[in-house]
Amino acid sequence: MACHKLLLLLIPLLFIHVAANFNQDFQITWGDGRAKILNNANLLTLSLDKASGSGFQSKNEYLFGKIDMQLKLVPGNSAGTVTAYYLSSKGGAWDEIDFEFLGNLSGDPYIVHTNVFSQGKGNREQQFHLWFDPTADFHTYSILWNPQRIVFSVDGTPIREFKNLERIGVPFPKNQAMRIYSSLWNADDWATRGGLIKTDWFKAPFTASYRNFNANNACIWSSGKSSCKSSSPTSAASWLSQELDSTGLQRLRWVQKNYMIYNYCTDKKRFPQGLPLECIHS
């Protein structure tokens, strides 16, 4: 019954396919010319130099969706830089779903940093290495956000699942619409080996590239209600209740066994009073 009520809330359903267009979907918010929309609005680049980084945000707000973006990260010596790509609401009790890509010395792997904030509370970090070089080509980074779960995926392979555990008192992002944000900025006080490795400004400018944004399965929030775009008449209902199948769970376990380098749910020193509830019951 609850699912049917939710589907009624998230209407009308607009069964359309919209080609990615960065001028249409995003606005550059800072950087004084360091962010550029190129190639007939099919490519967006962010750059960072010693004076400033740059960033952009979506024109739309979303309340649930499956959102994809292809990124090619800063190549070479990217130590000290952070490329952030995330969903966030506003206010003191905000919700947020984070991808952050922490740069490293040439030849050393990037760290993919993920986090989930609900009602202003985060501290749910999981970090990963990747099984490929994310600077050599574009790769797809996806967030599935529905009322039951949040799934972070890379090239279609799930790397993290955060389930709705409101039944045991864990807040879950489900009531606040969020925009998409991305930025490239200097964080050499903490980003690489805890701040030991600083940004080499002789390598600047640093550039990250974006293409093939896809929110064709997402619910746009406007004027106090949510309307869902969908690439087909059947897909809206499917992603709103989507969960990992046996293959997805197998891939998730493979990534977490071989590529996870930090999990807050196993950091007992950080939580001497006991691990967070979602770690115990997930």
Side-chain angles (χ1 to χ4, degrees), residues 148-165:
Q148 295 82 37
R149 59 189 38 83
I150 295 163
V151 179
F152 298 77
S153 298
V154 179
D155 288 340
T157 295
I159 65 170
R160 177 177 186 177
E161 180 180 37
F162 183 82
K163 294 179 180 178
N164 184 337
L165 293 173

Side-chain angles (χ1 to χ4, degrees), residues 52-269:
S52 178
S54 50
F56 65 90
Q57 70 180 42
S58 63
K59 293 181 179 178
N60 290 321
E61 293 181 289
Y62 300 91
L63 185 64
F64 305 125
K66 184 180 183 300
I67 294 168
D68 307 320
M69 182 80 83
Q70 290 194 330
L71 280 75
K72 183 163 67 171
L73 299 178
V74 174
N77 182 0
S78 58
T81 71
V82 173
T83 306
Y85 166 60
Y86 60 102
L87 291 160
S88 182
S89 63
K90 293 184 176 180
W94 78 100
D95 295 338
E96 187 171 323
I97 305 169
D98 286 345
F99 270 115
E100 289 187 316
F101 305 94
L102 312 185
N104 217 328
L105 295 169
S106 298
D108 289 343
Y110 261 81
I111 292 174
V112 180
H113 176 100
T114 66
N115 204 350
V116 176
F117 288 75
S118 48
Q119 298 178 19
K121 181 184 179 298
N123 299 324
R124 300 185 175 104
E125 300 90 348
Q126 290 184 355
Q127 295 182 335
F128 307 84
H129 286 152
L130 292 167
W131 49 97
F132 54 83
D133 177 359
T135 73
D137 204 350
F138 286 90
H139 292 270
T140 303
Y141 301 89
S142 306
I143 294 169
L144 169 67
W145 171 35
N146 67 29
Q148 295 82 37
R149 59 189 38 83
I150 295 163
V151 179
F152 298 77
S153 298
V154 179
D155 288 340
T157 295
I159 65 170
R160 177 177 186 177
E161 180 180 37
F162 183 82
K163 294 179 180 178
N164 184 337
L165 293 173
E166 288 179 307
R167 58 184 171 78
I168 61 168
V170 179
F172 184 84
K174 69 171 190 179
N175 297 314
Q176 300 185 65
M178 297 196 259
R179 291 189 193 276
I180 301 163
Y181 297 88
S182 192
S183 57
L184 174 58
W185 50 290
N186 177 46
D188 67 3
D189 56 333
W190 66 270
T192 306
R193 300 184 190 174
L196 292 176
I197 308 297
K198 301 300 183 182
T199 304
D200 182 356
W201 294 113
F202 290 105
K203 300 291 194 297
F206 304 98
T207 302
S209 303
Y210 301 73
R211 72 179 188 189
N212 289 348
F213 168 70
N214 186 348
N216 291 333
N217 294 302
C219 300
I220 295 174
W221 183 263
S222 179
S223 303
K225 62 182 179 180
S226 194
S227 60
C228 299
K229 295 193 302 180
S230 181
S231 55
S232 73
T234 59
S235 61
S238 64
W239 71 256
L240 273 169
S241 58
Q242 184 177 340
E243 57 187 281
L244 294 176
D245 59 15
S246 59
T247 301
L249 288 170
Q250 185 178 11
R251 289 177 175 173
L252 178 68
R253 286 191 290 267
W254 173 77
V255 171
Q256 296 194 343
K257 177 182 178 182
N258 295 289
Y259 295 97
M260 179 183 280
I261 59 171
Y262 177 78
N263 182 4
Y264 77 108
C265 280
T266 61
D267 193 345
K268 294 182 179 179
K269 289 183 179 179

